[in-house]
Structure formats: C-alpha cells, structure tokens
Amino acid sequence: MIPSIKGIFGPVITTFDRRGELDLDAFGANLKAHIAAGLDGVLVAGSTGEAALLEESERLRLVEMARSVIPASRQLLVGTGAESTKACVRRCREAAERGANACLVVAPHYYSNAMSTAALQAHYERVADESPVPILLYNIPKYMHFRLEPELVARLAEHDNIIGMKDSSGDLETMAKYLLAQTPHFGIVTGHAGSWLKAIHMGVVGGIMAVALFAPELTQEIARLAKAKQEPEASEAQRRLTPLGMEIVGRMGIPAVKVAMQRVGLHGGPVRLPLLDLSPSDAALVAELLRESSVASVA
C-alpha cells in the first residue's frame, strides 16, 4: 500500500499484433524502457491503454506482466473503472491480487444523466471501502461528458483509502479548486501535458501523461527546471512539449501515440477496432512534431 501519489507516470499503451491479439513481449519491452527512462511508475489499462476495448482476461494478463517487470521501487497503477460499482470493486480486487499499488477509477458515465453528486459519492465510497489497495479518482470530461465537482472531490479526499486524483481536463480554473483539497494524504496529478508547467506551479504532485511514454526526458526536464526555478529554461521546454501533448495526444489520440513510440524506438503497432490506425499524412505530421520538439527519432 502506498500512502500518497507523486511523480511522473506513463499511461502505457496496450500492444497488439496484426491479428488484434495482445503482444505481451512488446508490452514488456516497452515497460522496461519506460522504467529505464526514469519514470516513477506506470498506469496499465488507462485511457491510452485502450482499456475500454480490452477483455477482462486481457486486463489481468497485462497487470501480471507489468508487475513481473516493474521493480518494487516503482509504482504500478491500474485502471479499474467500470459502469457498475460491483464490477469496479472486482477489478480493484483482481488488480490488487496481481500486485497493483493503487487503482485509478474513472467515474461511471454511460448513464451520465443519473450520475448525480450523491450517486458518484456512493460509488466512490463503496469502491474505496472495499478495494484492498488505495484508489485515485479520475476526471476526464472528454470521455465522461461531465466533470467531478470540486465539492465532491473535497469530500472524497477525506476517505482514508482515496489518495488522489488524476485531472485530465486541462481546465486550470477547476484544477485550482481541486488543489484546495490536496493534503499530504491526497494529491492531485495532471494528465494534461499542454499545461504541465502551469500545473506544477499551481502545486500538483505529479503527472500521468501519455507524452511521458515517448518524450520522457523532456517531460522530466520541465519538472526539474521548475523545481530549480529556472523559469526561462522551463518555459522553453514546455513550449517544445505542448505540441506533443495537444496535437499527438489530444487531437490525434492513441493511434498517434503508438506512431510516436515507434518513431523513438519503442513498440507501437496497431490499435484495436473500432479505432483506426493513423493515416500516412498524420503519421508524417507526428514525425515532424517530434523533430520540431527535438525528441530523438530512430526512423
């Protein structure tokens, strides 16, 4: 069990072969590279990992593989959000049994009109009560089609088994309200690379960002420069990172993240239907964005 969440994490992709089956060898190789690059840990079965497209048995195999590769000194987070509270609790238990340090729980959102503050509070409190490992809230309005209200977050932050929240909205005004709930026990991490430096200055304790998968040095450099109060250098590093987050991750999405990983010498590969692989023109744009940001490319 971990008492708090902090640092830079990679929300790892799920690697598939051309038949659409898991490629666990490629998955393990990527994990080793992410840890070697200095990340504090990884998130398996998150949004970037195509979690919504995975079978239950595949989730378990990915977590098992990750725990066998990730050293005990680094953290393994697992996405366990589900539409029913019962299914979410089961996923948390299964992840814990396989060595997860904590679980990231996106709010149920299929019945979004019914997801009142009371419903969300009941869901998260039940999951936190029954999960063997700590959980983090996950705010991603892009997919949820609503946000976790700051007042709800403040109440949930008081639960002993809720240790933080990932906010991927990029809404700094709302993040400032979330940060009011931050304590040594409950930390806010960002999932939005375009505002990484601003988020650090606002007081987040870390980030779970897809750019850290293919530009880990640049992502870590911004945090280091900000801590050292080297503002001009930090701002320049953020200028280089922003297009990677806004264009590759934000606009083009998972297929582009996989192309970017391939370009820097990692395993990318196909996405799973109904997602479609990147067009040749967008793949060329990914390569150009990496060059412009001075991210090393092997292709």
Side-chain angles (χ1 to χ4, degrees), residues 114-125 152 155:
M115 289 301 100
S116 63
T117 297
L120 292 170
Q121 182 168 343
H123 171 74
Y124 274 115
E125 287 180 345
L152 172 63
R155 288 198 293 274

Side-chain angles (χ1 to χ4, degrees), residues 4-281:
S4 62
I5 186 75
K6 63 180 180 179
I8 299 174
F9 295 76
V12 297
I13 66 165
T14 299
T15 46
F16 301 110
D17 62 25
R18 286 296 166 187
R19 299 170 299 156
E21 301 299 325
L22 292 184
D23 185 342
L24 290 177
D25 289 339
F27 183 71
N30 281 348
L31 289 171
K32 291 175 183 177
H34 297 322
I35 294 303
L39 297 186
D40 294 291
V42 301
L43 166 67
V44 172
S47 300
T48 306
E50 299 175 69
L53 311 182
L54 296 174
E55 297 177 359
E56 295 298 320
S57 62
E58 292 175 328
R59 287 171 171 266
L60 301 183
R61 292 167 66 196
L62 291 169
V63 177
E64 289 168 355
M65 168 61 82
R67 188 72 277 176
S68 72
V69 171
I70 303 298
S73 60
R74 309 292 177 90
Q75 304 297 342
L76 171 59
L77 311 181
V78 178
T80 56
E83 288 303 313
S84 80
T85 305
K86 180 180 179 180
C88 185
V89 168
R90 173 181 52 77
R91 286 179 175 177
C92 289
R93 288 174 174 161
E94 290 171 343
E97 289 168 359
R98 288 159 178 80
N101 297 106
C103 295
L104 180 70
V105 179
V106 68
H109 47 275
Y110 185 85
Y111 297 113
S112 59
N113 289 345
M115 289 301 100
S116 63
T117 297
L120 292 170
Q121 182 168 343
H123 171 74
Y124 274 115
E125 287 180 345
R126 175 69 65 83
V127 173
D129 285 345
E130 298 189 17
S131 174
V133 293
I135 69 167
L136 292 91
L137 315 176
Y138 185 14
N139 184 61
I140 183 163
K142 176 179 179 180
Y143 298 139
M144 292 162 45
H145 307 296
F146 61 85
R147 71 175 186 177
L148 298 180
E149 293 299 328
E151 296 78 13
L152 172 63
V153 172
R155 288 198 293 274
L156 293 173
E158 297 176 356
H159 195 291
D160 288 344
N161 206 34
I162 300 178
I163 61 169
M165 181 177 77
K166 177 186 179 183
D167 176 30
S168 293
S169 68
D171 179 350
L172 297 182
E173 183 177 343
T174 301
M175 175 179 277
K177 297 176 182 178
Y178 292 149
L179 284 164
L180 295 175
Q182 190 161 254
T183 66
H185 165 75
F186 181 86
I188 303 295
V189 298
T190 183
H192 191 264
S195 55
W196 176 218
L197 181 59
K198 289 180 180 178
I200 293 172
H201 288 323
M202 291 173 68
V204 299
V205 297
I208 305 175
M209 298 174 291
V211 293
L213 300 174
F214 57 86
E217 294 84 1
L218 182 56
T219 308
Q220 293 172 90
E221 181 183 4
I222 292 168
R224 179 183 61 78
L225 291 169
K227 184 177 181 180
K229 301 188 184 306
Q230 296 178 251
E231 290 308 315
E233 295 86 351
S235 295
E236 170 58 20
Q238 179 64 57
R239 184 196 65 76
R240 292 165 50 206
L241 185 74
T242 295
L244 305 183
M246 302 301 287
E247 289 293 314
I248 295 179
V249 178
R251 185 178 69 81
M252 292 185 278
I254 298 165
V257 172
K258 289 190 167 184
V259 168
M261 291 185 63
Q262 201 76 39
R263 296 286 306 189
V264 301
L266 300 174
H267 295 278
V271 291
R272 175 171 275 180
L273 283 170
L275 298 183
L276 297 176
D277 292 332
L278 212 58
S279 68
S281 60

